[in-house]
Amino acid sequence: MIRVFENTDICSRNSFKVHQQAAKIIEFDSNDELSQIFAEHIHGEWMVMGGANNILFTTDIATPIIVPCNKDIEVISEGSEQVIIRVGAGLEWDELVEWCVARELWGLENLSLIPGKVGASPVQNIGAYGAEAKDCITAVEMYFPEQNNFITLAAEHCNFGYRESVFKHTLKGRVIITAVIFHLSKVANPRLGYGDVEREVESRGGATLRNIREAVCAIRRAKLPDTAVTGNAGSFFKNPIVDSAVAQVLLAHYPQMPHYPTAEPDKVKLAAGWLIDQCGLKGYSEGNVGVHDRQALVLINTTGEATGSEVIAFAGKVQQRVKEKFGITIEMEVNIV
Ligand code: EPU
């Protein structure tokens, strides 16, 4: 079914809970409806929105917003070790993780409780606790309005990287992701190497899928704000990737600075949250915006009244402080509209 909403406040539809007006929101359930939507409702630019957990709206939106709502999970094939599933773009990500854990299927458990919809997961290749969506994505299905056809793009052509994919570059604004195909494993493959995960899993009795999911949920609940209570967009900044030489200079001054290897031997990933924290900004706020007091990588709508432009101005100050203290530029992870 196609549902059209005109001149609506998008406050309840974006995780930062900013108030902006959308001229037209078009929800759809089935792929068959896309040609009709483009014939009847789209006469120029358009954009896609999932749960808007990673979008910060700074103005009212005249462009029609398309919202995929298909939530189906379909088993495409099942072997002795692997299961392939197709998942509708509109399903809540964490419902998919729970579906997998309940069926003893390994792969997505470390990504428990990441807010957002399945259709958004390949766009920024969501990741947490040593796992990324790309580890389990086989292919992505999408509608291509320019040709009025559907395309299935194999994972190897999605150019996945750290919070990166082709959907942020050449395919940006050109496709509507309708479903994601995942491969999951029946063979246990616990990944406990990141931070507190192993300790939390052990305290629950060992590395079962259920224990890993519960451990990750507990760690996230302790550090990250609950979007239902406090508007936020998860990590507001990306962790910066710098030349090893730059990291070495900083490490000489700050031997305790967290740093992680990357796929490229001469590049090192730093923790933006640590850098912001070291600037003394954790828990700091101005007006309606602040740095979360338990995770400095997260900016929050402290009063519920923040506007998008206020958040951007505050983020700019945070970037400037980090630049002044460390000489490092931290980029926003959140998409600005
Ligand atoms: N740190 C501080 N102070 C802070 C925050 C972090 O000192 O206020 C230090 C931590 O102690 C740790 C390091 O910085 O040594 C890294 O922090 P953490 O392990 O909490 O993870 P992160 O790098 O800040 C990334 C993802 C998160 C993901 C976690 C866990 C990015 C931009 N963020 O955060 O993703 O949940 O790892 O894997 O890569 C998201 O994208 O919305 C998100 C929450």
Short mmCIF file of all heavy atoms in Angstrom, two decimals, residues 106 190 192 196-215:
data_model
loop_
_atom_site.label_atom_id
_atom_site.label_comp_id
_atom_site.label_asym_id
_atom_site.label_seq_id
_atom_site.Cartn_x
_atom_site.Cartn_y
_atom_site.Cartn_z
N TRP A 106 24.48 -17.32 13.18
CA TRP A 106 25.58 -16.44 13.58
C TRP A 106 25.90 -15.40 12.51
O TRP A 106 25.77 -15.68 11.32
CB TRP A 106 26.85 -17.26 13.84
CG TRP A 106 26.75 -18.13 15.05
CD1 TRP A 106 26.06 -19.31 15.15
CD2 TRP A 106 27.33 -17.88 16.33
NE1 TRP A 106 26.18 -19.81 16.41
CE2 TRP A 106 26.96 -18.96 17.17
CE3 TRP A 106 28.13 -16.87 16.87
CZ2 TRP A 106 27.36 -19.05 18.50
CZ3 TRP A 106 28.53 -16.95 18.18
CH2 TRP A 106 28.14 -18.03 19.00
N PRO A 190 32.12 -16.93 17.53
CA PRO A 190 32.07 -15.78 18.44
C PRO A 190 33.20 -14.79 18.20
O PRO A 190 34.34 -15.20 18.04
CB PRO A 190 32.20 -16.41 19.84
CG PRO A 190 32.58 -17.83 19.64
CD PRO A 190 32.45 -18.19 18.20
N LEU A 192 34.82 -11.85 20.15
CA LEU A 192 34.77 -11.26 21.49
C LEU A 192 35.92 -10.30 21.73
O LEU A 192 36.09 -9.80 22.83
CB LEU A 192 34.83 -12.37 22.55
CG LEU A 192 33.84 -13.53 22.37
CD1 LEU A 192 34.06 -14.58 23.44
CD2 LEU A 192 32.41 -13.02 22.43
N ASP A 196 34.98 -4.48 26.09
CA ASP A 196 34.47 -5.23 27.24
C ASP A 196 33.66 -6.46 26.85
O ASP A 196 33.08 -7.12 27.71
CB ASP A 196 33.50 -4.33 28.04
CG ASP A 196 34.16 -3.06 28.50
OD1 ASP A 196 35.40 -3.08 28.63
OD2 ASP A 196 33.44 -2.07 28.74
N VAL A 197 33.58 -6.79 25.57
CA VAL A 197 32.63 -7.83 25.14
C VAL A 197 32.93 -9.16 25.82
O VAL A 197 32.03 -9.81 26.39
CB VAL A 197 32.62 -7.98 23.60
CG1 VAL A 197 31.69 -9.10 23.17
CG2 VAL A 197 32.20 -6.67 22.94
N GLU A 198 34.21 -9.58 25.79
CA GLU A 198 34.55 -10.90 26.34
C GLU A 198 34.16 -11.00 27.82
O GLU A 198 33.55 -11.98 28.25
CB GLU A 198 36.04 -11.18 26.16
CG GLU A 198 36.41 -12.56 26.66
CD GLU A 198 37.64 -13.11 25.98
OE1 GLU A 198 38.48 -12.31 25.52
OE2 GLU A 198 37.76 -14.35 25.92
N ARG A 199 34.52 -9.96 28.59
CA ARG A 199 34.22 -9.99 30.03
C ARG A 199 32.70 -10.07 30.27
O ARG A 199 32.22 -10.88 31.07
CB ARG A 199 34.79 -8.73 30.69
CG ARG A 199 34.75 -8.74 32.19
CD ARG A 199 35.63 -7.65 32.78
NE ARG A 199 35.48 -6.35 32.14
CZ ARG A 199 34.47 -5.51 32.38
NH1 ARG A 199 33.54 -5.83 33.25
NH2 ARG A 199 34.40 -4.35 31.77
N GLU A 200 31.95 -9.28 29.51
CA GLU A 200 30.49 -9.30 29.67
C GLU A 200 29.88 -10.65 29.26
O GLU A 200 28.92 -11.11 29.86
CB GLU A 200 29.85 -8.18 28.81
CG GLU A 200 30.06 -6.79 29.34
CD GLU A 200 29.16 -6.48 30.54
OE1 GLU A 200 28.11 -7.11 30.69
OE2 GLU A 200 29.54 -5.60 31.33
N VAL A 201 30.48 -11.26 28.24
CA VAL A 201 29.98 -12.56 27.77
C VAL A 201 30.31 -13.64 28.81
O VAL A 201 29.45 -14.46 29.17
CB VAL A 201 30.58 -12.90 26.38
CG1 VAL A 201 30.35 -14.36 26.02
CG2 VAL A 201 29.96 -12.00 25.32
N GLU A 202 31.54 -13.61 29.33
CA GLU A 202 31.94 -14.60 30.35
C GLU A 202 31.06 -14.50 31.58
O GLU A 202 30.63 -15.51 32.14
CB GLU A 202 33.42 -14.41 30.74
CG GLU A 202 34.41 -14.87 29.68
CD GLU A 202 34.09 -16.24 29.07
OE1 GLU A 202 33.77 -17.17 29.85
OE2 GLU A 202 34.11 -16.36 27.83
N SER A 203 30.74 -13.25 31.97
CA SER A 203 29.93 -13.08 33.18
C SER A 203 28.51 -13.61 32.98
O SER A 203 27.79 -13.85 33.94
CB SER A 203 29.89 -11.62 33.62
OG SER A 203 29.04 -10.90 32.76
N ARG A 204 28.14 -13.82 31.72
CA ARG A 204 26.81 -14.39 31.44
C ARG A 204 26.88 -15.90 31.23
O ARG A 204 25.88 -16.52 30.88
CB ARG A 204 26.19 -13.71 30.22
CG ARG A 204 25.67 -12.33 30.53
CD ARG A 204 25.29 -11.55 29.27
NE ARG A 204 24.59 -10.34 29.65
CZ ARG A 204 25.19 -9.25 30.14
NH1 ARG A 204 26.49 -9.23 30.28
NH2 ARG A 204 24.47 -8.20 30.49
N GLY A 205 28.07 -16.48 31.33
CA GLY A 205 28.17 -17.95 31.25
C GLY A 205 28.78 -18.47 29.97
O GLY A 205 28.70 -19.67 29.70
N GLY A 206 29.38 -17.60 29.13
CA GLY A 206 30.10 -18.12 27.95
C GLY A 206 29.49 -17.68 26.64
O GLY A 206 28.42 -17.04 26.60
N ALA A 207 30.21 -18.03 25.56
CA ALA A 207 29.95 -17.43 24.24
C ALA A 207 28.81 -18.10 23.47
O ALA A 207 29.01 -18.65 22.39
CB ALA A 207 31.23 -17.43 23.42
N THR A 208 27.60 -18.03 24.02
CA THR A 208 26.44 -18.43 23.21
C THR A 208 25.97 -17.19 22.45
O THR A 208 26.28 -16.06 22.82
CB THR A 208 25.27 -18.92 24.09
OG1 THR A 208 24.83 -17.81 24.89
CG2 THR A 208 25.71 -20.07 24.99
N LEU A 209 25.19 -17.43 21.39
CA LEU A 209 24.66 -16.31 20.62
C LEU A 209 23.84 -15.38 21.52
O LEU A 209 23.97 -14.16 21.44
CB LEU A 209 23.74 -16.84 19.52
CG LEU A 209 24.33 -16.98 18.13
CD1 LEU A 209 23.31 -17.58 17.20
CD2 LEU A 209 24.79 -15.63 17.61
N ARG A 210 23.01 -15.97 22.35
CA ARG A 210 22.13 -15.17 23.22
C ARG A 210 22.97 -14.34 24.19
O ARG A 210 22.71 -13.15 24.40
CB ARG A 210 21.16 -16.11 23.96
CG ARG A 210 20.18 -15.45 24.89
CD ARG A 210 19.25 -14.44 24.23
NE ARG A 210 18.36 -15.02 23.25
CZ ARG A 210 17.62 -14.30 22.40
NH1 ARG A 210 17.67 -12.97 22.41
NH2 ARG A 210 16.84 -14.88 21.52
N ASN A 211 24.02 -14.95 24.76
CA ASN A 211 24.86 -14.21 25.71
C ASN A 211 25.59 -13.06 25.02
O ASN A 211 25.76 -11.99 25.60
CB ASN A 211 25.88 -15.13 26.39
CG ASN A 211 25.21 -16.02 27.42
OD1 ASN A 211 24.07 -15.79 27.80
ND2 ASN A 211 25.92 -17.04 27.87
N ILE A 212 26.05 -13.28 23.79
CA ILE A 212 26.76 -12.21 23.08
C ILE A 212 25.79 -11.06 22.81
O ILE A 212 26.10 -9.90 23.05
CB ILE A 212 27.40 -12.72 21.76
CG1 ILE A 212 28.48 -13.77 22.09
CG2 ILE A 212 27.99 -11.57 20.96
CD1 ILE A 212 29.03 -14.49 20.88
N ARG A 213 24.59 -11.42 22.35
CA ARG A 213 23.60 -10.35 22.09
C ARG A 213 23.32 -9.56 23.37
O ARG A 213 23.30 -8.33 23.36
CB ARG A 213 22.31 -10.97 21.53
CG ARG A 213 21.16 -9.97 21.40
CD ARG A 213 20.10 -10.48 20.44
NE ARG A 213 18.84 -9.74 20.53
CZ ARG A 213 18.65 -8.51 20.05
NH1 ARG A 213 19.64 -7.86 19.47
NH2 ARG A 213 17.48 -7.93 20.14
N GLU A 214 23.11 -10.28 24.47
CA GLU A 214 22.77 -9.58 25.71
C GLU A 214 23.95 -8.73 26.21
O GLU A 214 23.75 -7.64 26.73
CB GLU A 214 22.30 -10.57 26.78
CG GLU A 214 20.88 -11.01 26.45
CD GLU A 214 20.29 -11.98 27.44
OE1 GLU A 214 20.96 -12.31 28.44
OE2 GLU A 214 19.16 -12.41 27.18
N ALA A 215 25.16 -9.24 26.03
CA ALA A 215 26.35 -8.49 26.47
C ALA A 215 26.46 -7.19 25.67
O ALA A 215 26.67 -6.11 26.24
CB ALA A 215 27.61 -9.34 26.28
#
